[in-house]
Amino acid sequence: ENEDASSVANRGRMARNPGVHDLDNSNGTPRRFGLIGGLSPASTVDYYELINNGVRKRMGGRHTAELLMWSCDMHPVVEAEFAGDWERVGAHLATAARALEGAGCEGLLVACNSVHNKVAFACLRRSVRIPILHIAEVTADALLQADIRRRVAVLGTIYTAAAGSFFEQCLKSRGLDVVL
């Protein structure tokens, strides 16, 4: 059975805050999480559904995630990606992150693999004090925790699945054999 995003994220590390290892507070209640979406409306919907299904599965009943979402305008972000201007991509993400942090979010997730580029994500991390899940780090953690040490394939956009991409570098740095 496939795991949902919440379960994988729950096992993963929260970037920039090694003391926070899951999506639950110490009293077992879910953290208020921020989701930066809109960069692909379809993937934003998928993340939203997977996170809520994971919360419901973990907590039972009619529980859902305490989640705030910022929907970015996809056009300027994609234009910046095409231009290779990852600082500008990071600036768009930072605007969303600051708004979500200001609204009381205790952690963030970006519902788009491509924008986890090293430059854009570093800009995002500098913009807030709350932890941010990094998709490649969480993926590597989940693979290693599941003792999957064989060759793994990465499918995605050119920014995610190209040779030398942030995703490939992260997985390889954890000792995984990556096929693009």
Side-chain angles (χ1 to χ4, degrees), residues 13-31:
R13 288 188 326 234
M14 294 290 283
R16 284 190 20 155
N17 191 345
V20 179
H21 294 287
D22 57 41
L23 299 176
D24 295 334
N25 286 311
S26 58
N27 64 5
T29 62
R31 295 180 183 281

Side-chain angles (χ1 to χ4, degrees), residues 39-82:
L39 302 164
S40 164
S43 70
T44 302
V45 170
D46 288 343
Y47 273 82
Y48 182 80
E49 184 175 10
L50 289 168
I51 290 167
N52 278 294
N53 287 343
V55 168
R56 196 170 303 111
K57 182 178 178 181
R58 222 172 42 251
M59 297 181 71
R62 294 187 177 108
H63 288 282
T64 56
E66 252 192 61
L67 181 72
L68 298 176
M69 185 175 69
W70 181 280
S71 184
C72 295
D73 179 4
M74 184 175 162
H75 182 81
V77 175
V78 171
E79 291 296 313
E81 285 177 341
F82 287 161

